[in-house]
Amino acid sequence: MTHAVPSRPMPADDRPYDIGIIGGGAGGVLTALHALRLARTAVRIVLFEPAPTLARGVAYATTRAEHLLNVPVRRMSAFDAAPDDFLDYVAATSPADGPDRDALAHRYAERRRYGDYLMTRLRQARDASAASLEIRRQQVTALQVADGRYRLTTEDGQTLVCAGVVLAVGNRPRPLPARGASGLAATARLEAWDFDAIAEIPADADVCIVGSGLSMVDAVLTMARNGHRGRVHVLSRHALLPLAHTAYAVAEFDVEALLPLDLRGRIRFLRRAAAEASSRQLPWQAVMERLRPHGQALWQSLTPADQRRFLRHAVRLWDVHRHRIAPSVQACLAAMRGRGQLRLHRGRLDTAMPVGPRIRLSLRMRDGRSQQLDVDRIINATGVEMRVQTMRNPLLSDLLGRGHAQPGTHGIGLKTAHDGSLVDADGNPQPGLIAIGSLRIGCLWESIAVPELRGQAEAAARQLLALQER
């Protein structure tokens, strides 16, 4: 069930807003939620989101029951200070004859419930706050700085002024990396995030999914739920599937000892730590749990050269160990592989051409061989676009063009100061212009999971509210 926060009438005056939030996915809603809860005066907040629903974005837009959160309920609160808040919500909205609270804490809830949770908390905060929140169903396409304030222009040419702005623009999919792909029929070339289109794939269709990460998992789960009988080919450079969670455990070792090491030294260290954990009857996942709170420090302490090596050679290994899936989801993938229905291919997609009613794919395999594959559907599951220049977002292009922003480390996201303030083309932080979430990946690496997102959202809300008190 979707809990709507209704848009309110446009204000009759042209007074500046105190806080403008651009983006109404999880990051934008978390920022609005924290600002409403923290405000002690009649602060005016405006949130821009052209989509008809809030708190959905990419991750939580699905309405499909088979799409589960990738971490247990007990670790998904919107508030650092109330770690059981999502658990409280799930327990309160679950059937009375269902699992008890302790069992729910360890469950992997349906992802659609998380969007409902954020909207429930937003509505409650809005009703109780001294501040006001206005929702505008518009896209912001330009931003100018004038007299220490920010003038925003929307897609229909309207302008308004905000004292402070939070950029929470979320994620965009990468384009399908194949010559000829743009010439395929729309019904044959699908995006993994188009959940309705995936659900309409005929059960007998042969399918190729390009990319082997979490978006691929969603597509496979939907096809499995629909009783898919055709072959499912998964193509990626490393052909590595996400790995599963185990019972929660944390290994004991000194994370600080990793920081002076280079990338190779860190990999050797972690392999030894995993072996040591195994000798104590702990899974390797316990090593990753020990690292979990230190991801940003680990990234920022690497040299630029080692960061590039990581992105080129080790990022996929990190992803499959760090971004794990529910055990039941992993069991579904394993069963499909076991009966030969799900097949992994290690290589790259070269071309995709229509041949009659089917699609002919040319693959370049890792061993140098060429391979041909005929399928009925191709799904783009290559993940999110991280390079801001190719995100096809008019606001981000405008910020770069005006010099209000510059690309982040290695061209990923935008460059930010330690508090999230955008750094302009001259290297100056802009305290009232703050980025959260995926735009900070280049500087922080760990920036899109809920613990980081909720912390950034609260910090941004506190920072902009403090500006109003000066």
Side-chain angles (χ1 to χ4, degrees), residues 29-66:
V29 168
L30 281 166
T31 305
L33 172 56
H34 282 286
L36 288 167
R37 287 167 60 100
L38 293 167
R40 297 293 177 262
T41 59
V43 172
R44 302 177 71 223
I45 306 167
V46 59
L47 186 150
F48 296 88
E49 175 51 60
T53 56
L54 299 180
R56 303 296 161 178
V58 170
Y60 309 113
T62 177
T63 60
R64 307 282 304 183
E66 66 270 17

PDB file of all heavy atoms in Angstrom, residues 29-66:
ATOM      1  N   VAL A  29      13.579  11.903   0.865  1.00  0.00           N
ATOM      2  CA  VAL A  29      12.559  11.756   1.909  1.00  0.00           C
ATOM      3  C   VAL A  29      13.204  11.674   3.289  1.00  0.00           C
ATOM      4  O   VAL A  29      12.705  12.254   4.255  1.00  0.00           O
ATOM      5  CB  VAL A  29      11.665  10.530   1.619  1.00  0.00           C
ATOM      6  CG1 VAL A  29      10.797  10.175   2.824  1.00  0.00           C
ATOM      7  CG2 VAL A  29      10.781  10.808   0.408  1.00  0.00           C
ATOM      8  N   LEU A  30      14.325  10.965   3.400  1.00  0.00           N
ATOM      9  CA  LEU A  30      15.035  10.932   4.677  1.00  0.00           C
ATOM     10  C   LEU A  30      15.469  12.331   5.106  1.00  0.00           C
ATOM     11  O   LEU A  30      15.373  12.690   6.286  1.00  0.00           O
ATOM     12  CB  LEU A  30      16.256  10.013   4.576  1.00  0.00           C
ATOM     13  CG  LEU A  30      15.980   8.513   4.669  1.00  0.00           C
ATOM     14  CD1 LEU A  30      17.206   7.720   4.201  1.00  0.00           C
ATOM     15  CD2 LEU A  30      15.610   8.113   6.094  1.00  0.00           C
ATOM     16  N   THR A  31      15.929  13.139   4.156  1.00  0.00           N
ATOM     17  CA  THR A  31      16.331  14.507   4.492  1.00  0.00           C
ATOM     18  C   THR A  31      15.142  15.325   4.973  1.00  0.00           C
ATOM     19  O   THR A  31      15.219  16.035   5.996  1.00  0.00           O
ATOM     20  CB  THR A  31      16.981  15.189   3.279  1.00  0.00           C
ATOM     21  OG1 THR A  31      18.076  14.392   2.801  1.00  0.00           O
ATOM     22  CG2 THR A  31      17.498  16.572   3.649  1.00  0.00           C
ATOM     23  N   ALA A  32      14.018  15.236   4.253  1.00  0.00           N
ATOM     24  CA  ALA A  32      12.816  15.964   4.667  1.00  0.00           C
ATOM     25  C   ALA A  32      12.335  15.487   6.030  1.00  0.00           C
ATOM     26  O   ALA A  32      11.941  16.289   6.889  1.00  0.00           O
ATOM     27  CB  ALA A  32      11.716  15.778   3.623  1.00  0.00           C
ATOM     28  N   LEU A  33      12.375  14.188   6.241  1.00  0.00           N
ATOM     29  CA  LEU A  33      11.936  13.603   7.506  1.00  0.00           C
ATOM     30  C   LEU A  33      12.768  14.135   8.671  1.00  0.00           C
ATOM     31  O   LEU A  33      12.226  14.555   9.718  1.00  0.00           O
ATOM     32  CB  LEU A  33      12.043  12.083   7.401  1.00  0.00           C
ATOM     33  CG  LEU A  33      11.828  11.219   8.638  1.00  0.00           C
ATOM     34  CD1 LEU A  33      10.485  11.504   9.264  1.00  0.00           C
ATOM     35  CD2 LEU A  33      11.939   9.743   8.262  1.00  0.00           C
ATOM     36  N   HIS A  34      14.084  14.147   8.505  1.00  0.00           N
ATOM     37  CA  HIS A  34      14.946  14.641   9.582  1.00  0.00           C
ATOM     38  C   HIS A  34      14.764  16.139   9.785  1.00  0.00           C
ATOM     39  O   HIS A  34      14.749  16.624  10.930  1.00  0.00           O
ATOM     40  CB  HIS A  34      16.405  14.314   9.284  1.00  0.00           C
ATOM     41  CG  HIS A  34      16.764  12.891   9.566  1.00  0.00           C
ATOM     42  ND1 HIS A  34      16.926  12.409  10.842  1.00  0.00           N
ATOM     43  CD2 HIS A  34      16.974  11.828   8.741  1.00  0.00           C
ATOM     44  CE1 HIS A  34      17.230  11.121  10.798  1.00  0.00           C
ATOM     45  NE2 HIS A  34      17.265  10.743   9.535  1.00  0.00           N
ATOM     46  N   ALA A  35      14.613  16.896   8.709  1.00  0.00           N
ATOM     47  CA  ALA A  35      14.422  18.345   8.844  1.00  0.00           C
ATOM     48  C   ALA A  35      13.127  18.656   9.587  1.00  0.00           C
ATOM     49  O   ALA A  35      13.088  19.539  10.459  1.00  0.00           O
ATOM     50  CB  ALA A  35      14.434  19.006   7.471  1.00  0.00           C
ATOM     51  N   LEU A  36      12.068  17.938   9.272  1.00  0.00           N
ATOM     52  CA  LEU A  36      10.791  18.151   9.951  1.00  0.00           C
ATOM     53  C   LEU A  36      10.895  17.819  11.440  1.00  0.00           C
ATOM     54  O   LEU A  36      10.356  18.528  12.296  1.00  0.00           O
ATOM     55  CB  LEU A  36       9.709  17.297   9.303  1.00  0.00           C
ATOM     56  CG  LEU A  36       9.241  17.736   7.912  1.00  0.00           C
ATOM     57  CD1 LEU A  36       8.409  16.635   7.258  1.00  0.00           C
ATOM     58  CD2 LEU A  36       8.435  19.036   7.981  1.00  0.00           C
ATOM     59  N   ARG A  37      11.584  16.738  11.763  1.00  0.00           N
ATOM     60  CA  ARG A  37      11.698  16.318  13.156  1.00  0.00           C
ATOM     61  C   ARG A  37      12.597  17.238  13.973  1.00  0.00           C
ATOM     62  O   ARG A  37      12.387  17.426  15.165  1.00  0.00           O
ATOM     63  CB  ARG A  37      12.219  14.885  13.217  1.00  0.00           C
ATOM     64  CG  ARG A  37      11.186  13.840  12.808  1.00  0.00           C
ATOM     65  CD  ARG A  37      11.821  12.490  12.578  1.00  0.00           C
ATOM     66  NE  ARG A  37      12.493  11.963  13.741  1.00  0.00           N
ATOM     67  CZ  ARG A  37      11.994  11.048  14.577  1.00  0.00           C
ATOM     68  NH1 ARG A  37      10.772  10.573  14.376  1.00  0.00           N
ATOM     69  NH2 ARG A  37      12.693  10.602  15.605  1.00  0.00           N
ATOM     70  N   LEU A  38      13.608  17.808  13.320  1.00  0.00           N
ATOM     71  CA  LEU A  38      14.575  18.635  14.037  1.00  0.00           C
ATOM     72  C   LEU A  38      14.182  20.106  14.114  1.00  0.00           C
ATOM     73  O   LEU A  38      14.679  20.829  14.980  1.00  0.00           O
ATOM     74  CB  LEU A  38      15.946  18.519  13.362  1.00  0.00           C
ATOM     75  CG  LEU A  38      16.622  17.158  13.438  1.00  0.00           C
ATOM     76  CD1 LEU A  38      17.802  17.097  12.463  1.00  0.00           C
ATOM     77  CD2 LEU A  38      17.111  16.882  14.865  1.00  0.00           C
ATOM     78  N   ALA A  39      13.314  20.560  13.222  1.00  0.00           N
ATOM     79  CA  ALA A  39      12.975  21.986  13.161  1.00  0.00           C
ATOM     80  C   ALA A  39      12.241  22.422  14.434  1.00  0.00           C
ATOM     81  O   ALA A  39      11.341  21.725  14.910  1.00  0.00           O
ATOM     82  CB  ALA A  39      12.110  22.265  11.936  1.00  0.00           C
ATOM     83  N   ARG A  40      12.620  23.566  14.939  1.00  0.00           N
ATOM     84  CA  ARG A  40      11.963  24.123  16.129  1.00  0.00           C
ATOM     85  C   ARG A  40      11.215  25.415  15.812  1.00  0.00           C
ATOM     86  O   ARG A  40      10.582  25.998  16.695  1.00  0.00           O
ATOM     87  CB  ARG A  40      13.010  24.382  17.219  1.00  0.00           C
ATOM     88  CG  ARG A  40      13.711  23.107  17.702  1.00  0.00           C
ATOM     89  CD  ARG A  40      12.721  22.207  18.439  1.00  0.00           C
ATOM     90  NE  ARG A  40      13.325  20.950  18.852  1.00  0.00           N
ATOM     91  CZ  ARG A  40      13.202  19.805  18.176  1.00  0.00           C
ATOM     92  NH1 ARG A  40      12.475  19.777  17.051  1.00  0.00           N
ATOM     93  NH2 ARG A  40      13.772  18.710  18.616  1.00  0.00           N
ATOM     94  N   THR A  41      11.306  25.877  14.591  1.00  0.00           N
ATOM     95  CA  THR A  41      10.602  27.084  14.151  1.00  0.00           C
ATOM     96  C   THR A  41       9.875  26.788  12.839  1.00  0.00           C
ATOM     97  O   THR A  41       9.977  25.702  12.293  1.00  0.00           O
ATOM     98  CB  THR A  41      11.588  28.254  13.963  1.00  0.00           C
ATOM     99  OG1 THR A  41      12.567  27.871  12.980  1.00  0.00           O
ATOM    100  CG2 THR A  41      12.289  28.603  15.275  1.00  0.00           C
ATOM    101  N   ALA A  42       9.171  27.770  12.324  1.00  0.00           N
ATOM    102  CA  ALA A  42       8.341  27.593  11.130  1.00  0.00           C
ATOM    103  C   ALA A  42       9.190  27.617   9.851  1.00  0.00           C
ATOM    104  O   ALA A  42       8.987  28.441   8.946  1.00  0.00           O
ATOM    105  CB  ALA A  42       7.274  28.663  11.075  1.00  0.00           C
ATOM    106  N   VAL A  43      10.146  26.706   9.771  1.00  0.00           N
ATOM    107  CA  VAL A  43      11.005  26.581   8.598  1.00  0.00           C
ATOM    108  C   VAL A  43      10.167  26.129   7.403  1.00  0.00           C
ATOM    109  O   VAL A  43       9.274  25.276   7.528  1.00  0.00           O
ATOM    110  CB  VAL A  43      12.129  25.562   8.880  1.00  0.00           C
ATOM    111  CG1 VAL A  43      12.934  25.262   7.634  1.00  0.00           C
ATOM    112  CG2 VAL A  43      13.031  26.079   9.985  1.00  0.00           C
ATOM    113  N   ARG A  44      10.450  26.707   6.241  1.00  0.00           N
ATOM    114  CA  ARG A  44       9.721  26.342   5.016  1.00  0.00           C
ATOM    115  C   ARG A  44      10.606  25.416   4.176  1.00  0.00           C
ATOM    116  O   ARG A  44      11.695  25.790   3.767  1.00  0.00           O
ATOM    117  CB  ARG A  44       9.343  27.589   4.220  1.00  0.00           C
ATOM    118  CG  ARG A  44       8.484  28.565   5.002  1.00  0.00           C
ATOM    119  CD  ARG A  44       8.200  29.813   4.192  1.00  0.00           C
ATOM    120  NE  ARG A  44       7.291  29.546   3.104  1.00  0.00           N
ATOM    121  CZ  ARG A  44       7.417  30.011   1.868  1.00  0.00           C
ATOM    122  NH1 ARG A  44       8.479  30.736   1.550  1.00  0.00           N
ATOM    123  NH2 ARG A  44       6.521  29.743   0.945  1.00  0.00           N
ATOM    124  N   ILE A  45      10.117  24.216   3.926  1.00  0.00           N
ATOM    125  CA  ILE A  45      10.852  23.186   3.185  1.00  0.00           C
ATOM    126  C   ILE A  45      10.083  22.886   1.916  1.00  0.00           C
ATOM    127  O   ILE A  45       8.853  22.735   1.930  1.00  0.00           O
ATOM    128  CB  ILE A  45      10.992  21.900   4.021  1.00  0.00           C
ATOM    129  CG1 ILE A  45      11.614  22.212   5.394  1.00  0.00           C
ATOM    130  CG2 ILE A  45      11.810  20.852   3.289  1.00  0.00           C
ATOM    131  CD1 ILE A  45      11.496  21.073   6.386  1.00  0.00           C
ATOM    132  N   VAL A  46      10.798  22.750   0.803  1.00  0.00           N
ATOM    133  CA  VAL A  46      10.180  22.337  -0.456  1.00  0.00           C
ATOM    134  C   VAL A  46      10.964  21.156  -1.007  1.00  0.00           C
ATOM    135  O   VAL A  46      12.194  21.138  -0.977  1.00  0.00           O
ATOM    136  CB  VAL A  46      10.128  23.503  -1.478  1.00  0.00           C
ATOM    137  CG1 VAL A  46      11.524  24.047  -1.784  1.00  0.00           C
ATOM    138  CG2 VAL A  46       9.410  23.079  -2.751  1.00  0.00           C
ATOM    139  N   LEU A  47      10.234  20.154  -1.477  1.00  0.00           N
ATOM    140  CA  LEU A  47      10.847  18.954  -2.038  1.00  0.00           C
ATOM    141  C   LEU A  47      10.375  18.792  -3.479  1.00  0.00           C
ATOM    142  O   LEU A  47       9.173  18.829  -3.743  1.00  0.00           O
ATOM    143  CB  LEU A  47      10.477  17.731  -1.206  1.00  0.00           C
ATOM    144  CG  LEU A  47      11.157  16.403  -1.579  1.00  0.00           C
ATOM    145  CD1 LEU A  47      11.302  15.515  -0.339  1.00  0.00           C
ATOM    146  CD2 LEU A  47      10.369  15.642  -2.640  1.00  0.00           C
ATOM    147  N   PHE A  48      11.329  18.600  -4.393  1.00  0.00           N
ATOM    148  CA  PHE A  48      11.032  18.460  -5.815  1.00  0.00           C
ATOM    149  C   PHE A  48      11.155  16.990  -6.227  1.00  0.00           C
ATOM    150  O   PHE A  48      12.203  16.367  -6.037  1.00  0.00           O
ATOM    151  CB  PHE A  48      12.002  19.283  -6.663  1.00  0.00           C
ATOM    152  CG  PHE A  48      11.916  20.764  -6.438  1.00  0.00           C
ATOM    153  CD1 PHE A  48      12.663  21.370  -5.435  1.00  0.00           C
ATOM    154  CD2 PHE A  48      11.084  21.551  -7.219  1.00  0.00           C
ATOM    155  CE1 PHE A  48      12.598  22.733  -5.216  1.00  0.00           C
ATOM    156  CE2 PHE A  48      11.009  22.923  -7.009  1.00  0.00           C
ATOM    157  CZ  PHE A  48      11.764  23.511  -6.007  1.00  0.00           C
ATOM    158  N   GLU A  49      10.094  16.458  -6.795  1.00  0.00           N
ATOM    159  CA  GLU A  49      10.121  15.088  -7.316  1.00  0.00           C
ATOM    160  C   GLU A  49       9.036  14.946  -8.383  1.00  0.00           C
ATOM    161  O   GLU A  49       7.847  14.999  -8.072  1.00  0.00           O
ATOM    162  CB  GLU A  49       9.883  14.073  -6.193  1.00  0.00           C
ATOM    163  CG  GLU A  49       9.779  12.630  -6.670  1.00  0.00           C
ATOM    164  CD  GLU A  49      10.938  12.216  -7.564  1.00  0.00           C
ATOM    165  OE1 GLU A  49      12.090  12.261  -7.097  1.00  0.00           O
ATOM    166  OE2 GLU A  49      10.672  11.863  -8.739  1.00  0.00           O
ATOM    167  N   PRO A  50       9.436  14.771  -9.657  1.00  0.00           N
ATOM    168  CA  PRO A  50       8.440  14.666 -10.722  1.00  0.00           C
ATOM    169  C   PRO A  50       7.644  13.369 -10.712  1.00  0.00           C
ATOM    170  O   PRO A  50       6.546  13.312 -11.268  1.00  0.00           O
ATOM    171  CB  PRO A  50       9.274  14.796 -12.001  1.00  0.00           C
ATOM    172  CG  PRO A  50      10.662  14.402 -11.603  1.00  0.00           C
ATOM    173  CD  PRO A  50      10.816  14.812 -10.168  1.00  0.00           C
ATOM    174  N   ALA A  51       8.175  12.312 -10.114  1.00  0.00           N
ATOM    175  CA  ALA A  51       7.460  11.032 -10.086  1.00  0.00           C
ATOM    176  C   ALA A  51       6.210  11.150  -9.217  1.00  0.00           C
ATOM    177  O   ALA A  51       6.161  11.963  -8.284  1.00  0.00           O
ATOM    178  CB  ALA A  51       8.369   9.922  -9.562  1.00  0.00           C
ATOM    179  N   PRO A  52       5.190  10.332  -9.475  1.00  0.00           N
ATOM    180  CA  PRO A  52       3.940  10.451  -8.730  1.00  0.00           C
ATOM    181  C   PRO A  52       4.015   9.985  -7.285  1.00  0.00           C
ATOM    182  O   PRO A  52       3.133  10.304  -6.489  1.00  0.00           O
ATOM    183  CB  PRO A  52       2.968   9.573  -9.531  1.00  0.00           C
ATOM    184  CG  PRO A  52       3.836   8.611 -10.275  1.00  0.00           C
ATOM    185  CD  PRO A  52       5.091   9.358 -10.581  1.00  0.00           C
ATOM    186  N   THR A  53       5.027   9.210  -6.931  1.00  0.00           N
ATOM    187  CA  THR A  53       5.160   8.729  -5.557  1.00  0.00           C
ATOM    188  C   THR A  53       6.533   9.091  -5.014  1.00  0.00           C
ATOM    189  O   THR A  53       7.505   9.225  -5.770  1.00  0.00           O
ATOM    190  CB  THR A  53       4.977   7.200  -5.479  1.00  0.00           C
ATOM    191  OG1 THR A  53       5.917   6.568  -6.360  1.00  0.00           O
ATOM    192  CG2 THR A  53       3.561   6.800  -5.883  1.00  0.00           C
ATOM    193  N   LEU A  54       6.595   9.215  -3.700  1.00  0.00           N
ATOM    194  CA  LEU A  54       7.851   9.530  -3.029  1.00  0.00           C
ATOM    195  C   LEU A  54       8.428   8.283  -2.368  1.00  0.00           C
ATOM    196  O   LEU A  54       7.754   7.274  -2.217  1.00  0.00           O
ATOM    197  CB  LEU A  54       7.617  10.601  -1.955  1.00  0.00           C
ATOM    198  CG  LEU A  54       7.081  11.958  -2.398  1.00  0.00           C
ATOM    199  CD1 LEU A  54       6.928  12.880  -1.184  1.00  0.00           C
ATOM    200  CD2 LEU A  54       7.971  12.607  -3.440  1.00  0.00           C
ATOM    201  N   ALA A  55       9.685   8.394  -1.972  1.00  0.00           N
ATOM    202  CA  ALA A  55      10.394   7.362  -1.204  1.00  0.00           C
ATOM    203  C   ALA A  55      10.579   6.078  -1.984  1.00  0.00           C
ATOM    204  O   ALA A  55      10.813   5.034  -1.386  1.00  0.00           O
ATOM    205  CB  ALA A  55       9.666   7.075   0.112  1.00  0.00           C
ATOM    206  N   ARG A  56      10.482   6.124  -3.291  1.00  0.00           N
ATOM    207  CA  ARG A  56      10.608   4.902  -4.085  1.00  0.00           C
ATOM    208  C   ARG A  56      11.951   4.875  -4.810  1.00  0.00           C
ATOM    209  O   ARG A  56      12.730   3.968  -4.642  1.00  0.00           O
ATOM    210  CB  ARG A  56       9.449   4.804  -5.087  1.00  0.00           C
ATOM    211  CG  ARG A  56       8.081   4.834  -4.432  1.00  0.00           C
ATOM    212  CD  ARG A  56       7.844   3.647  -3.543  1.00  0.00           C
ATOM    213  NE  ARG A  56       6.762   3.898  -2.594  1.00  0.00           N
ATOM    214  CZ  ARG A  56       6.327   3.001  -1.728  1.00  0.00           C
ATOM    215  NH1 ARG A  56       6.866   1.804  -1.676  1.00  0.00           N
ATOM    216  NH2 ARG A  56       5.362   3.308  -0.885  1.00  0.00           N
ATOM    217  N   GLY A  57      12.230   5.878  -5.603  1.00  0.00           N
ATOM    218  CA  GLY A  57      13.486   5.875  -6.341  1.00  0.00           C
ATOM    219  C   GLY A  57      13.653   4.583  -7.108  1.00  0.00           C
ATOM    220  O   GLY A  57      12.698   3.972  -7.577  1.00  0.00           O
ATOM    221  N   VAL A  58      14.893   4.127  -7.231  1.00  0.00           N
ATOM    222  CA  VAL A  58      15.162   2.867  -7.923  1.00  0.00           C
ATOM    223  C   VAL A  58      14.997   1.686  -6.980  1.00  0.00           C
ATOM    224  O   VAL A  58      14.297   0.725  -7.265  1.00  0.00           O
ATOM    225  CB  VAL A  58      16.589   2.886  -8.522  1.00  0.00           C
ATOM    226  CG1 VAL A  58      16.964   1.510  -9.016  1.00  0.00           C
ATOM    227  CG2 VAL A  58      16.663   3.901  -9.655  1.00  0.00           C
ATOM    228  N   ALA A  59      15.611   1.784  -5.818  1.00  0.00           N
ATOM    229  CA  ALA A  59      15.676   0.621  -4.930  1.00  0.00           C
ATOM    230  C   ALA A  59      14.322   0.178  -4.421  1.00  0.00           C
ATOM    231  O   ALA A  59      14.058  -1.026  -4.289  1.00  0.00           O
ATOM    232  CB  ALA A  59      16.598   0.936  -3.746  1.00  0.00           C
ATOM    233  N   TYR A  60      13.437   1.132  -4.143  1.00  0.00           N
ATOM    234  CA  TYR A  60      12.191   0.783  -3.465  1.00  0.00           C
ATOM    235  C   TYR A  60      10.961   1.011  -4.337  1.00  0.00           C
ATOM    236  O   TYR A  60       9.837   1.026  -3.834  1.00  0.00           O
ATOM    237  CB  TYR A  60      12.089   1.569  -2.155  1.00  0.00           C
ATOM    238  CG  TYR A  60      13.334   1.421  -1.324  1.00  0.00           C
ATOM    239  CD1 TYR A  60      14.181   2.501  -1.095  1.00  0.00           C
ATOM    240  CD2 TYR A  60      13.697   0.184  -0.818  1.00  0.00           C
ATOM    241  CE1 TYR A  60      15.350   2.347  -0.360  1.00  0.00           C
ATOM    242  CE2 TYR A  60      14.871   0.017  -0.087  1.00  0.00           C
ATOM    243  CZ  TYR A  60      15.689   1.100   0.131  1.00  0.00           C
ATOM    244  OH  TYR A  60      16.854   0.934   0.840  1.00  0.00           O
ATOM    245  N   ALA A  61      11.167   1.134  -5.647  1.00  0.00           N
ATOM    246  CA  ALA A  61      10.040   1.349  -6.550  1.00  0.00           C
ATOM    247  C   ALA A  61       9.257   0.072  -6.825  1.00  0.00           C
ATOM    248  O   ALA A  61       8.111   0.119  -7.239  1.00  0.00           O
ATOM    249  CB  ALA A  61      10.538   1.936  -7.874  1.00  0.00           C
ATOM    250  N   THR A  62       9.879  -1.067  -6.608  1.00  0.00           N
ATOM    251  CA  THR A  62       9.219  -2.325  -6.920  1.00  0.00           C
ATOM    252  C   THR A  62       7.981  -2.557  -6.058  1.00  0.00           C
ATOM    253  O   THR A  62       7.963  -2.240  -4.873  1.00  0.00           O
ATOM    254  CB  THR A  62      10.185  -3.514  -6.755  1.00  0.00           C
ATOM    255  OG1 THR A  62       9.484  -4.729  -7.007  1.00  0.00           O
ATOM    256  CG2 THR A  62      10.774  -3.553  -5.348  1.00  0.00           C
ATOM    257  N   THR A  63       6.963  -3.126  -6.673  1.00  0.00           N
ATOM    258  CA  THR A  63       5.778  -3.570  -5.934  1.00  0.00           C
ATOM    259  C   THR A  63       5.731  -5.088  -5.838  1.00  0.00           C
ATOM    260  O   THR A  63       4.751  -5.652  -5.367  1.00  0.00           O
ATOM    261  CB  THR A  63       4.496  -3.071  -6.622  1.00  0.00           C
ATOM    262  OG1 THR A  63       4.435  -3.611  -7.963  1.00  0.00           O
ATOM    263  CG2 THR A  63       4.469  -1.554  -6.704  1.00  0.00           C
ATOM    264  N   ARG A  64       6.787  -5.748  -6.279  1.00  0.00           N
ATOM    265  CA  ARG A  64       6.814  -7.207  -6.362  1.00  0.00           C
ATOM    266  C   ARG A  64       7.200  -7.825  -5.019  1.00  0.00           C
ATOM    267  O   ARG A  64       8.176  -7.439  -4.391  1.00  0.00           O
ATOM    268  CB  ARG A  64       7.813  -7.661  -7.421  1.00  0.00           C
ATOM    269  CG  ARG A  64       7.642  -7.029  -8.797  1.00  0.00           C
ATOM    270  CD  ARG A  64       6.519  -7.652  -9.558  1.00  0.00           C
ATOM    271  NE  ARG A  64       6.656  -9.096  -9.711  1.00  0.00           N
ATOM    272  CZ  ARG A  64       5.817  -9.849 -10.390  1.00  0.00           C
ATOM    273  NH1 ARG A  64       4.764  -9.296 -10.977  1.00  0.00           N
ATOM    274  NH2 ARG A  64       6.009 -11.145 -10.483  1.00  0.00           N
ATOM    275  N   ALA A  65       6.436  -8.821  -4.613  1.00  0.00           N
ATOM    276  CA  ALA A  65       6.662  -9.458  -3.312  1.00  0.00           C
ATOM    277  C   ALA A  65       7.982 -10.214  -3.261  1.00  0.00           C
ATOM    278  O   ALA A  65       8.557 -10.391  -2.182  1.00  0.00           O
ATOM    279  CB  ALA A  65       5.505 -10.402  -2.990  1.00  0.00           C
ATOM    280  N   GLU A  66       8.490 -10.672  -4.406  1.00  0.00           N
ATOM    281  CA  GLU A  66       9.716 -11.473  -4.406  1.00  0.00           C
ATOM    282  C   GLU A  66      10.976 -10.629  -4.234  1.00  0.00           C
ATOM    283  O   GLU A  66      12.058 -11.181  -3.993  1.00  0.00           O
ATOM    284  CB  GLU A  66       9.832 -12.296  -5.694  1.00  0.00           C
ATOM    285  CG  GLU A  66      10.005 -11.490  -6.975  1.00  0.00           C
ATOM    286  CD  GLU A  66       8.690 -11.112  -7.631  1.00  0.00           C
ATOM    287  OE1 GLU A  66       7.647 -11.189  -6.948  1.00  0.00           O
ATOM    288  OE2 GLU A  66       8.708 -10.741  -8.829  1.00  0.00           O
TER     289      GLU A  66
END
